[in-house]
Tab-separated table of all heavy atoms in Angstrom:
chain	number	residue	atom	x	y	z
A	477	LEU	N	70.161	-43.855	73.699
A	477	LEU	CA	70.874	-45.065	73.275
A	477	LEU	C	71.172	-45.031	71.784
A	477	LEU	O	72.248	-45.468	71.343
A	477	LEU	CB	70.052	-46.300	73.624
A	477	LEU	CG	70.022	-46.701	75.104
A	477	LEU	CD1	69.089	-47.882	75.316
A	477	LEU	CD2	71.429	-47.049	75.600
A	478	LEU	N	70.231	-44.524	71.001
A	478	LEU	CA	70.477	-44.416	69.559
A	478	LEU	C	71.688	-43.531	69.290
A	478	LEU	O	72.525	-43.841	68.426
A	478	LEU	CB	69.247	-43.848	68.861
A	478	LEU	CG	68.006	-44.749	68.794
A	478	LEU	CD1	66.810	-43.974	68.249
A	478	LEU	CD2	68.262	-45.987	67.942
A	479	CYS	N	71.790	-42.432	70.027
A	479	CYS	CA	72.935	-41.533	69.851
A	479	CYS	C	74.250	-42.207	70.236
A	479	CYS	O	75.293	-41.944	69.637
A	479	CYS	CB	72.747	-40.270	70.701
A	479	CYS	SG	71.446	-39.156	70.132
A	480	GLN	N	74.196	-43.099	71.218
A	480	GLN	CA	75.410	-43.749	71.701
A	480	GLN	C	75.826	-44.941	70.845
A	480	GLN	O	77.030	-45.173	70.654
A	480	GLN	CB	75.197	-44.231	73.141
A	480	GLN	CG	74.973	-43.119	74.157
A	480	GLN	CD	74.604	-43.685	75.518
A	480	GLN	OE1	75.355	-44.461	76.104
A	480	GLN	NE2	73.443	-43.307	76.018
A	481	LEU	N	74.849	-45.688	70.345
A	481	LEU	CA	75.155	-46.989	69.759
A	481	LEU	C	75.112	-47.037	68.236
A	481	LEU	O	75.569	-48.003	67.638
A	481	LEU	CB	74.182	-48.049	70.313
A	481	LEU	CG	74.168	-48.206	71.842
A	481	LEU	CD1	73.194	-49.294	72.250
A	481	LEU	CD2	75.569	-48.527	72.360
A	482	LEU	N	74.552	-46.004	67.611
A	482	LEU	CA	74.487	-45.995	66.152
A	482	LEU	C	75.391	-44.899	65.590
A	482	LEU	O	75.596	-43.866	66.238
A	482	LEU	CB	73.049	-45.754	65.682
A	482	LEU	CG	72.041	-46.864	65.977
A	482	LEU	CD1	70.681	-46.504	65.399
A	482	LEU	CD2	72.498	-48.211	65.427
A	483	PRO	N	75.887	-45.087	64.397
A	483	PRO	CA	76.762	-44.075	63.784
A	483	PRO	C	75.947	-42.918	63.199
A	483	PRO	O	76.012	-42.636	61.997
A	483	PRO	CB	77.491	-44.877	62.693
A	483	PRO	CG	76.510	-45.950	62.306
A	483	PRO	CD	75.803	-46.327	63.580
A	484	LEU	N	75.166	-42.254	64.044
A	484	LEU	CA	74.396	-41.100	63.591
A	484	LEU	C	75.337	-39.916	63.391
A	484	LEU	O	76.291	-39.723	64.151
A	484	LEU	CB	73.310	-40.739	64.613
A	484	LEU	CG	72.267	-41.818	64.928
A	484	LEU	CD1	71.255	-41.276	65.927
A	484	LEU	CD2	71.565	-42.300	63.669
A	485	THR	N	75.056	-39.109	62.396
A	485	THR	CA	75.895	-37.950	62.126
A	485	THR	C	75.766	-36.922	63.251
A	485	THR	O	74.819	-36.947	64.039
A	485	THR	CB	75.480	-37.300	60.797
A	485	THR	OG1	74.085	-36.986	60.850
A	485	THR	CG2	75.741	-38.240	59.637
A	486	GLU	N	76.731	-36.025	63.307
A	486	GLU	CA	76.714	-35.001	64.349
A	486	GLU	C	75.608	-33.978	64.122
A	486	GLU	O	75.160	-33.336	65.060
A	486	GLU	CB	78.073	-34.293	64.410
A	486	GLU	CG	79.188	-35.187	64.918
A	486	GLU	CD	78.848	-35.810	66.273
A	486	GLU	OE1	78.530	-35.064	67.216
A	486	GLU	OE2	78.872	-37.047	66.374
A	487	ARG	N	75.160	-33.818	62.890
A	487	ARG	CA	74.096	-32.861	62.586
A	487	ARG	C	72.775	-33.614	62.427
A	487	ARG	O	72.664	-34.523	61.595
A	487	ARG	CB	74.423	-32.083	61.326
A	487	ARG	CG	73.306	-31.154	60.863
A	487	ARG	CD	73.796	-30.152	59.833
A	487	ARG	NE	74.654	-29.141	60.466
A	487	ARG	CZ	75.084	-28.055	59.838
A	487	ARG	NH1	74.729	-27.827	58.587
A	487	ARG	NH2	75.855	-27.188	60.448
A	488	ILE	N	71.778	-33.247	63.229
A	488	ILE	CA	70.467	-33.889	63.198
A	488	ILE	C	69.396	-32.820	63.028
A	488	ILE	O	69.398	-31.807	63.730
A	488	ILE	CB	70.212	-34.696	64.483
A	488	ILE	CG1	71.203	-35.867	64.569
A	488	ILE	CG2	68.777	-35.217	64.528
A	488	ILE	CD1	71.047	-36.718	65.808
A	489	ALA	N	68.498	-33.039	62.090
A	489	ALA	CA	67.410	-32.097	61.841
A	489	ALA	C	66.211	-32.449	62.715
A	489	ALA	O	66.010	-33.600	63.087
A	489	ALA	CB	67.019	-32.119	60.369
A	490	MET	N	65.420	-31.419	63.007
A	490	MET	CA	64.267	-31.598	63.884
A	490	MET	C	63.220	-30.543	63.565
A	490	MET	O	63.535	-29.437	63.121
A	490	MET	CB	64.728	-31.478	65.343
A	490	MET	CG	63.679	-31.770	66.368
A	490	MET	SD	64.391	-31.830	68.044
A	490	MET	CE	62.859	-31.945	68.991
A	491	GLU	N	61.960	-30.901	63.755
A	491	GLU	CA	60.869	-29.951	63.522
A	491	GLU	C	60.983	-28.752	64.473
A	491	GLU	O	61.400	-28.901	65.621
A	491	GLU	CB	59.524	-30.641	63.765
A	491	GLU	CG	59.274	-31.863	62.895
A	491	GLU	CD	58.222	-32.786	63.489
A	491	GLU	OE1	58.196	-32.951	64.731
A	491	GLU	OE2	57.439	-33.344	62.716
A	492	GLU	N	60.591	-27.600	63.981
A	492	GLU	CA	60.562	-26.397	64.806
A	492	GLU	C	59.188	-25.735	64.692
A	492	GLU	O	58.825	-25.263	63.617
A	492	GLU	CB	61.655	-25.430	64.357
A	492	GLU	CG	61.633	-24.087	65.038
A	492	GLU	CD	61.892	-24.139	66.547
A	492	GLU	OE1	62.391	-25.173	67.039
A	492	GLU	OE2	61.594	-23.159	67.218
A	493	PRO	N	58.386	-25.737	65.797
A	493	PRO	CA	58.726	-26.261	67.118
A	493	PRO	C	58.708	-27.785	67.137
A	493	PRO	O	58.195	-28.415	66.217
A	493	PRO	CB	57.623	-25.675	68.002
A	493	PRO	CG	56.434	-25.588	67.085
A	493	PRO	CD	57.013	-25.160	65.764
A	494	GLY	N	59.235	-28.349	68.226
A	494	GLY	CA	59.276	-29.792	68.358
A	494	GLY	C	59.443	-30.190	69.806
A	494	GLY	O	59.679	-29.343	70.677
A	495	TYR	N	59.363	-31.481	70.068
A	495	TYR	CA	59.362	-32.012	71.431
A	495	TYR	C	60.664	-31.653	72.153
A	495	TYR	O	61.742	-32.111	71.764
A	495	TYR	CB	59.152	-33.515	71.388
A	495	TYR	CG	59.198	-34.210	72.723
A	495	TYR	CD1	58.658	-33.623	73.864
A	495	TYR	CD2	59.769	-35.466	72.849
A	495	TYR	CE1	58.698	-34.262	75.092
A	495	TYR	CE2	59.812	-36.123	74.061
A	495	TYR	CZ	59.276	-35.509	75.175
A	495	TYR	OH	59.319	-36.141	76.390
A	496	ASN	N	60.562	-30.848	73.197
A	496	ASN	CA	61.762	-30.336	73.871
A	496	ASN	C	62.546	-31.438	74.583
A	496	ASN	O	63.752	-31.325	74.774
A	496	ASN	CB	61.396	-29.229	74.868
A	496	ASN	CG	60.635	-29.757	76.068
A	496	ASN	OD1	59.742	-30.602	75.922
A	496	ASN	ND2	60.958	-29.263	77.246
A	497	GLY	N	61.886	-32.526	75.004
A	497	GLY	CA	62.581	-33.617	75.679
A	497	GLY	C	63.618	-34.269	74.785
A	497	GLY	O	64.757	-34.521	75.199
A	498	VAL	N	63.255	-34.546	73.539
A	498	VAL	CA	64.196	-35.155	72.592
A	498	VAL	C	65.255	-34.147	72.171
A	498	VAL	O	66.434	-34.493	72.015
A	498	VAL	CB	63.437	-35.715	71.375
A	498	VAL	CG1	64.394	-36.030	70.226
A	498	VAL	CG2	62.671	-36.972	71.760
A	499	ARG	N	64.862	-32.881	72.004
A	499	ARG	CA	65.849	-31.857	71.657
A	499	ARG	C	66.943	-31.796	72.721
A	499	ARG	O	68.132	-31.673	72.404
A	499	ARG	CB	65.172	-30.491	71.527
A	499	ARG	CG	66.144	-29.400	71.068
A	499	ARG	CD	65.543	-28.005	71.145
A	499	ARG	NE	64.445	-27.841	70.224
A	499	ARG	CZ	63.179	-27.629	70.589
A	499	ARG	NH1	62.866	-27.561	71.868
A	499	ARG	NH2	62.245	-27.474	69.696
A	500	ALA	N	66.552	-31.897	73.998
A	500	ALA	CA	67.522	-31.856	75.089
A	500	ALA	C	68.466	-33.053	75.039
A	500	ALA	O	69.668	-32.924	75.311
A	500	ALA	CB	66.799	-31.806	76.432
A	501	VAL	N	67.949	-34.227	74.677
A	501	VAL	CA	68.798	-35.421	74.579
A	501	VAL	C	69.848	-35.225	73.486
A	501	VAL	O	71.032	-35.518	73.687
A	501	VAL	CB	67.947	-36.673	74.290
A	501	VAL	CG1	68.845	-37.877	73.984
A	501	VAL	CG2	67.037	-36.989	75.474
A	502	PHE	N	69.417	-34.739	72.325
A	502	PHE	CA	70.376	-34.491	71.245
A	502	PHE	C	71.459	-33.508	71.704
A	502	PHE	O	72.653	-33.716	71.458
A	502	PHE	CB	69.658	-33.929	70.020
A	502	PHE	CG	68.821	-34.926	69.275
A	502	PHE	CD1	67.625	-34.542	68.671
A	502	PHE	CD2	69.221	-36.238	69.137
A	502	PHE	CE1	66.851	-35.447	67.973
A	502	PHE	CE2	68.447	-37.170	68.444
A	502	PHE	CZ	67.265	-36.765	67.856
A	503	ALA	N	71.044	-32.435	72.354
A	503	ALA	CA	72.006	-31.431	72.816
A	503	ALA	C	72.976	-32.021	73.832
A	503	ALA	O	74.183	-31.746	73.802
A	503	ALA	CB	71.261	-30.238	73.419
A	504	ASN	N	72.469	-32.858	74.726
A	504	ASN	CA	73.321	-33.462	75.752
A	504	ASN	C	74.351	-34.416	75.164
A	504	ASN	O	75.391	-34.666	75.789
A	504	ASN	CB	72.469	-34.197	76.787
A	504	ASN	CG	71.656	-33.254	77.652
A	504	ASN	OD1	71.982	-32.078	77.763
A	504	ASN	ND2	70.594	-33.759	78.256
A	505	HIS	N	74.063	-34.926	73.979
A	505	HIS	CA	75.024	-35.803	73.298
A	505	HIS	C	75.889	-35.027	72.310
A	505	HIS	O	76.588	-35.637	71.489
A	505	HIS	CB	74.288	-36.946	72.591
A	505	HIS	CG	73.844	-38.034	73.518
A	505	HIS	ND1	74.705	-38.995	74.004
A	505	HIS	CD2	72.641	-38.292	74.077
A	505	HIS	CE1	74.042	-39.816	74.809
A	505	HIS	NE2	72.787	-39.407	74.867
A	506	GLY	N	75.832	-33.718	72.384
A	506	GLY	CA	76.692	-32.892	71.550
A	506	GLY	C	76.290	-32.803	70.097
A	506	GLY	O	77.107	-32.424	69.246
A	507	LYS	N	75.041	-33.144	69.779
A	507	LYS	CA	74.596	-33.082	68.389
A	507	LYS	C	74.304	-31.633	67.986
A	507	LYS	O	73.848	-30.824	68.793
A	507	LYS	CB	73.328	-33.932	68.197
A	507	LYS	CG	73.491	-35.408	68.543
A	507	LYS	CD	74.514	-36.094	67.655
A	507	LYS	CE	74.612	-37.589	67.969
A	507	LYS	NZ	75.635	-38.265	67.142
Side-chain angles (χ1 to χ4, degrees):
L477 285 176
L478 290 172
C479 290
Q480 295 173 58
L481 303 181
L482 293 182
L484 300 181
T485 55
E486 292 306 305
R487 175 165 288 189
I488 295 179
M490 186 172 172
E491 301 159 322
E492 174 64 16
Y495 177 38
N496 69 318
V498 166
R499 184 189 295 115
V501 172
F502 287 145
N504 291 339
H505 282 282
K507 301 298 183 182

